[in-house]
Amino acid sequence: MELSIASLAGNLLAPTILFFVLGLVAAFARSDLSIPEGAAKVMSIYLLLAIGFKGGAAVSKGGIDGQLVASLGAGIVLSFVLPFVAFGLLRVMTRLDGLNAAAVAGHYGSISIVTFVTAVSLLEARGISSEGYLVAVAAVMEVPAIMSALWIAARKGEGIAVDRSLIRHILGNGSIVLLVGSFVIGAATGESGLNDLRPFIVVPFTGVLALFLLDMGLSAGRSILEHRKDISGGLLLFGCVMPVIGSLFGLAAAALVGLSTGGAFLLMVLSASASYIAVPAAMRLALPKAKSGIYLTLALGVTFPFNLTLGMPLYFMLASLVGP
């Protein structure tokens, strides 16, 4: 695949990314621009349904094979391992105590589904194919990282109780349920089901994503402003370095599995992203003494903007250089 500076710049100039930047600018300017909470919730439901259904339809068309199983296994391993890498890096780069470092680390083994959806949209806009079943890989990467973070915290003497209620809360997370459910429906109905829903989940997709990323930009900017005193220089650097390290783990896994260039890019994005929905909810239950202002601002206010603006062009370049 031909690689050029112009092609990388095209990622930054995509309308969806620019709407995210607009949201950041509006937040930093302390504008009263806002998206109603109910509208944002509907948009997130729509995006999860659309990306899950399209991924399931792609699997129905291509069939289940060994590469799919290997990719799922790679995703689970990455999700288990990356929190330990993040924890070690935090202990070197910051002065966080063990509890808060464990809470932050869990976010960096899990994934940001919005970052993934944006990456899929960028590939589709450029006509680059990828393995549809990576939607399922995204789903299985939510939970293992939480378990790793709780294990790290327990080893530090925090006495975390992983009970039935917590497990039910994690597995019953609405994002996971909707993503997996729509993926299964897409796989069951296949191409005919996709054609039936095409006017709903294909045509409006990019416009809805642009509006949703505007809201995410507003949220990220306001989170930074609200909690900026909690984010030290070391934490800020970690929020930009850890995604790159995670992406390299994802690239190595993609090479072992034999993913296409588009698939390698998506697995890198998953490995580089940090959860700001499922994991924060779990940490509030399991590690209530950890400072949510730190882990939420790092995931949403630092790593999310980094990935959307600078990270994804870098990951695409690396995937292109080593891909088939």
Side-chain angles (χ1 to χ4, degrees), residues 3 9 22 63 100-101 118-119 129-131 133 142 146 157 162 184 191 200 225 228 258-260 262 264 284-285 303:
L3 183 67
L22 174 61
N100 282 293
T118 305
S129 62
S130 62
E131 290 79 1
Y133 55 74
E142 286 275 19
I146 297 173
V162 182
V184 171
E191 194 70 20
F200 174 66
L225 290 175
R228 59 186 182 277
L259 295 178
S260 64
R284 279 194 290 268
L285 285 175
T303 297

Side-chain angles (χ1 to χ4, degrees), residues 120-190:
V120 171
S121 178
L122 290 175
L123 288 182
E124 290 178 348
R126 298 182 56 167
I128 300 172
S129 62
S130 62
E131 290 79 1
Y133 55 74
L134 284 167
V135 176
V137 176
V140 301
M141 288 181 71
E142 286 275 19
V143 177
I146 297 173
M147 298 305 178
S148 293
L150 298 185
W151 187 87
I152 293 171
R155 292 281 293 178
K156 295 300 174 180
E158 297 300 330
I160 307 304
V162 182
D163 56 17
R164 184 180 303 176
S165 175
L166 176 61
I167 293 174
R168 184 170 60 250
H169 176 83
I170 294 171
L171 296 180
N173 178 270
S175 298
I176 298 176
V177 171
L178 181 56
L179 188 66
V180 173
S182 58
F183 177 85
V184 171
I185 293 171
T189 57

Side-chain angles (χ1 to χ4, degrees), residues 19-324:
F19 272 103
F20 174 78
V21 174
L22 174 61
L24 278 178
V25 172
F28 291 148
R30 301 185 186 276
S31 167
D32 62 356
L33 175 64
S34 64
I35 304 294
E37 184 177 349
K41 182 68 174 178
V42 170
M43 287 189 290
S44 67
I45 290 173
Y46 169 83
L47 292 171
L48 288 168
L49 185 152
I51 199 69
F53 193 94
K54 288 190 287 187
V59 167
S60 176
K61 184 177 181 180
I64 299 176
D65 55 21
Q67 191 179 59
L68 186 156
V69 176
S71 298
L72 290 172
I76 292 171
V77 171
L78 285 168
S79 186
F80 267 122
V81 170
L82 287 175
F84 292 96
V85 177
F87 182 80
L89 199 60
L90 283 164
R91 300 297 272 177
V92 171
M93 297 179 64
T94 74
R95 296 181 178 179
L96 281 185
D97 59 86
L99 173 64
N100 282 293
V104 170
H107 292 68
Y108 287 84
S110 187
I111 60 102
S112 160
I113 193 62
V114 178
T115 309
F116 177 74
V117 169
T118 305
V120 171
S121 178
L122 290 175
L123 288 182
E124 290 178 348
R126 298 182 56 167
I128 300 172
S129 62
S130 62
E131 290 79 1
Y133 55 74
L134 284 167
V135 176
V137 176
V140 301
M141 288 181 71
E142 286 275 19
V143 177
I146 297 173
M147 298 305 178
S148 293
L150 298 185
W151 187 87
I152 293 171
R155 292 281 293 178
K156 295 300 174 180
E158 297 300 330
I160 307 304
V162 182
D163 56 17
R164 184 180 303 176
S165 175
L166 176 61
I167 293 174
R168 184 170 60 250
H169 176 83
I170 294 171
L171 296 180
N173 178 270
S175 298
I176 298 176
V177 171
L178 181 56
L179 188 66
V180 173
S182 58
F183 177 85
V184 171
I185 293 171
T189 57
E191 194 70 20
S192 63
L194 182 60
N195 289 333
D196 290 341
L197 292 182
R198 187 174 298 277
F200 174 66
I201 67 172
V202 177
V203 178
F205 184 85
T206 303
V208 175
L209 178 60
L211 188 57
F212 187 73
L213 286 178
L214 171 64
D215 182 58
M216 294 305 302
L218 290 167
S219 298
R222 287 166 183 163
S223 179
I224 293 173
L225 290 175
E226 182 180 354
H227 300 288
R228 59 186 182 277
K229 293 182 180 179
D230 292 327
I231 306 301
S232 64
L235 280 170
L236 185 65
L237 184 60
F238 168 83
C240 298
V241 170
M242 183 60 206
V244 177
I245 293 174
S247 74
L248 295 177
F249 275 81
L251 181 61
L256 287 174
V257 173
L259 295 178
S260 64
T261 297
F265 168 68
L266 292 181
L267 188 58
M268 291 175 74
V269 168
L270 288 173
S271 302
S273 61
S275 172
Y276 51 80
I277 299 175
V279 178
M283 292 300 109
R284 279 194 290 268
L285 285 175
L287 302 177
K289 293 182 181 179
K291 295 181 179 179
S292 61
I294 294 177
Y295 57 68
L296 192 56
T297 303
L298 269 179
L300 178 60
V302 179
T303 297
F304 184 65
F306 173 83
N307 277 330
L308 259 62
T309 55
L310 300 178
M312 285 198 283
L314 173 63
Y315 311 150
F316 179 75
M317 180 181 69
L318 294 174
S320 301
L321 290 173
V322 305

